Amino acid sequence: MQDSENGNKGTPRRGRKALVIIGIILLVLAALVAAYAIWERPPQLAPTPTAPPASTAAPNPAPENGAGVQPTQAPEAAVDFPDIEVDPLVTDRDSDKYTIMLVGRDFASNSTDTIMIVRLDTKTHEIDCVSIPRDTLINIGWAGTPKKINAVYPGYQNSGMDPVEGLKGQLRNLLGFDVDCYVVVHLQAVADVVDAIGGVWFDVPQDMYYVDYVQDLYIDIKAGYQLLDGYNALRLCRFRDGYAGGDIQRIEVQHAFLKAMASQVLSAGSIPHLGELIQIMLWNVDTDLTAANIAWFARQFLACKMENIEFHTMPWTTACLINGVSYVSVDQDAWLDMVNSCLNPYKDPVTTSNVNLLMSNADGSSVWSTAGATAGGPESFYCMDCSMKNGWTAVHHYPGMHLDFSEEPAEEDPPAAEEPPEAEAEPEAETE
């Protein structure tokens, strides 16, 4: 009877002890959450410009069809990155919207074949991602490289200048405003991230086979729904040559893969191995984000719904060759509509006066700019055909005008041998 009474008396004590332990655990968890909330930080917003940049290029319109213009040779040592004045977007900023420049660097050429601008709305938890095609025409003048967006990063780097700032500046010309932060991804990081989350289930749209010994790249992926590890996920994102639609189709596949990846993470309700992912980001990318910034973005992402994540591609009008180099020309009106609906973090819309777009006609024989001038002059278009035929010495001239190296100079007949002068007749001996 005494044991029973003691047992009855012990039960409330054990219950109170359990409640105390649970309370302590909850307090510790609350303290950890509070500490995490104090530690994580949003990135700083890009400053609003107060005055237009100084213009260093004067309008230099090209004559029709480049008639009567001699090709020009740009000095190999000189590099010109002129700014052309546009009106800055000076207006109130929406502090709930953040913009990110997300770039994937190629292993071999260091070119940035994957460029995306991302806008995150932390109030509505909507994400818009816009891809810029690698061949997009940009209004920049320099020696030795084409006027295309994927050549900007290596062009600045090879010239001893800041490649990130150079690319941000050219994107400012396209967008009409500065992005808030940047992430330049060494492509191995893509494989590491996919492996860290356990792979991604994805329906590969077609057989993918490609070998490039120069880049040490081997791709062999069969079509169909499958779990892609980091190795094959990276090769899926790099595959391009086997698509009928080229780079534009590769962008579409990249978007589908990123959607599958985002859906997988959001359905789990958490980001597995978040600490490991943060380390991968800090070790394998060039970014101005801190670990606290990345953690803050991760929490904002988990608050999103899949239907509120959208992927877009820059609208374009023509894909053509200019002097043997492939270019994509932006569709001005459709692009400004996309910028304002999907990317602009300001309260006023971006207009034509805020951008510096370079565009071409269907066959690439004529170009024009919203800023009224072609950077470097209209004769500054790099010519792949002429440079190759000229021993890869850089040749620049107007669009649609080619040097003709196909015909060998005609051999001239050797000069006829001169007839030897006639010997003078000896004078006849006088007769006595």
Side-chain angles (χ1 to χ4, degrees):
M1 186 71 178
Q2 186 175 359
D3 292 341
S4 176
E5 290 177 358
N6 289 340
N8 291 336
K9 291 180 180 179
T11 300
R13 291 196 188 102
R14 287 196 297 272
R16 284 195 296 272
K17 187 182 293 185
L19 289 175
V20 170
I21 293 173
I22 292 172
I24 292 173
I25 292 174
L26 290 175
L27 286 174
V28 170
L29 290 175
L32 289 174
V33 171
Y36 183 84
I38 293 172
W39 170 71
E40 67 171 26
R41 283 285 186 274
Q44 291 185 341
L45 299 175
T48 300
T50 56
S55 175
T56 59
N60 187 11
E64 292 185 9
N65 300 321
V69 181
Q70 295 299 316
T72 57
Q73 176 79 39
E76 293 184 10
V79 179
D80 180 28
F81 300 89
D83 294 325
I84 295 179
E85 183 176 328
V86 295
D87 295 332
L89 190 63
V90 183
T91 181
D92 291 336
R93 173 69 190 262
D94 189 336
S95 59
D96 295 320
K97 295 176 179 176
Y98 291 81
T99 57
I100 308 168
M101 178 182 81
L102 180 60
V103 175
R105 280 175 50 192
D106 183 78
F107 285 112
S109 65
N110 207 28
S111 60
T112 52
D113 283 359
T114 298
I115 301 176
M116 298 179 68
I117 309 301
V118 180
R119 186 183 72 179
L120 167 65
D121 190 325
T122 59
K123 184 176 182 179
T124 63
H125 287 100
E126 296 175 327
I127 298 176
D128 283 283
C129 308
V130 177
S131 289
I132 311 297
R134 65 193 292 273
D135 294 333
T136 299
L137 263 170
I138 55 167
N139 200 9
I140 189 169
W142 48 19
T145 50
K147 296 176 184 286
K148 57 199 302 184
I149 194 68
N150 77 325
V152 173
Y153 190 98
Y156 275 82
Q157 188 172 60
N158 295 340
S159 303
M161 305 174 76
D162 189 330
V164 170
E165 289 303 315
L167 185 54
K168 287 172 63 177
Q170 290 307 313
L171 288 174
R172 182 194 312 121
N173 282 340
L174 289 176
L175 297 167
F177 56 85
D178 285 299
V179 294
D180 298 317
C181 44
Y182 68 88
V183 178
V184 180
V185 180
H186 305 274
L187 292 179
Q188 183 57 41
V190 176
D192 293 342
V193 167
V194 171
D195 284 335
I197 65 174
V200 175
W201 286 97
F202 183 68
D203 190 3
V204 179
Q206 68 179 59
D207 290 345
M208 299 181 178
Y209 182 79
Y210 179 73
V211 178
D212 187 334
Y213 296 106
V214 175
Q215 300 185 62
D216 192 23
L217 177 62
Y218 176 74
I219 301 174
D220 189 6
I221 307 173
K222 300 300 180 184
Y225 190 68
Q226 57 195 282
L227 180 64
L228 294 176
D229 61 7
Y231 179 88
N232 282 319
L234 174 56
R235 278 147 183 79
L236 172 100
C237 292
R238 297 188 69 191
F239 184 76
R240 174 172 60 93
D241 287 349
Y243 292 136
D247 184 56
I248 301 299
Q249 191 172 351
R250 178 178 67 162
I251 290 174
E252 294 173 356
V253 174
Q254 288 178 345
H255 288 174
F257 176 78
L258 291 173
K259 284 182 181 180
M261 187 175 178
S263 178
Q264 180 174 310
V265 172
L266 290 178
S267 63
S270 65
I271 300 178
H273 309 291
L274 178 58
E276 180 182 352
L277 292 178
I278 291 176
Q279 288 301 319
I280 291 171
M281 292 286 287
L282 294 177
W283 289 341
N284 295 283
V285 305
D286 178 15
T287 181
D288 56 354
L289 297 175
T290 65
N293 297 153
I294 297 171
W296 183 82
F297 273 126
R299 185 167 62 85
Q300 298 298 324
F301 170 72
L302 289 175
C304 298
K305 295 181 179 179
M306 194 60 215
E307 58 266 27
N308 292 332
I309 301 177
E310 298 289 343
F311 290 86
H312 318 268
T313 302
M314 181 197 81
W316 52 280
T317 55
T318 60
C320 63
L321 293 178
I322 299 179
N323 297 350
V325 181
S326 61
Y327 291 99
V328 168
S329 181
V330 62
D331 183 333
Q332 176 182 321
D333 293 337
W335 171 240
L336 291 178
D337 287 343
M338 180 176 288
V339 167
N340 287 314
S341 62
C342 301
L343 297 176
N344 185 7
Y346 291 88
K347 295 182 179 179
D348 286 350
V350 174
T351 67
T352 305
S353 65
N354 307 128
V355 294
N356 180 2
L357 307 179
L358 191 64
M359 294 159 286
S360 76
N361 61 350
D363 64 5
S365 62
S366 177
V367 295
W368 61 93
S369 167
T370 56
T374 299
E379 76 283 358
S380 61
F381 274 83
Y382 175 74
C383 181
M384 177 73 72
D385 297 335
C386 298
S387 298
M388 178 177 63
K389 295 174 183 177
N390 201 34
W392 290 112
T393 300
V395 177
H396 303 73
H397 53 72
Y398 289 89
M401 183 180 146
H402 297 269
L403 295 182
D404 188 3
F405 292 90
S406 60
E407 296 182 4
E408 297 292 335
E411 294 186 3
E412 296 181 2
D413 294 332
E418 296 182 1
E419 295 289 339
E422 294 183 2
E424 294 182 1
E426 294 183 2
E428 294 181 3
E430 295 181 0
T431 60
E432 294 181 355

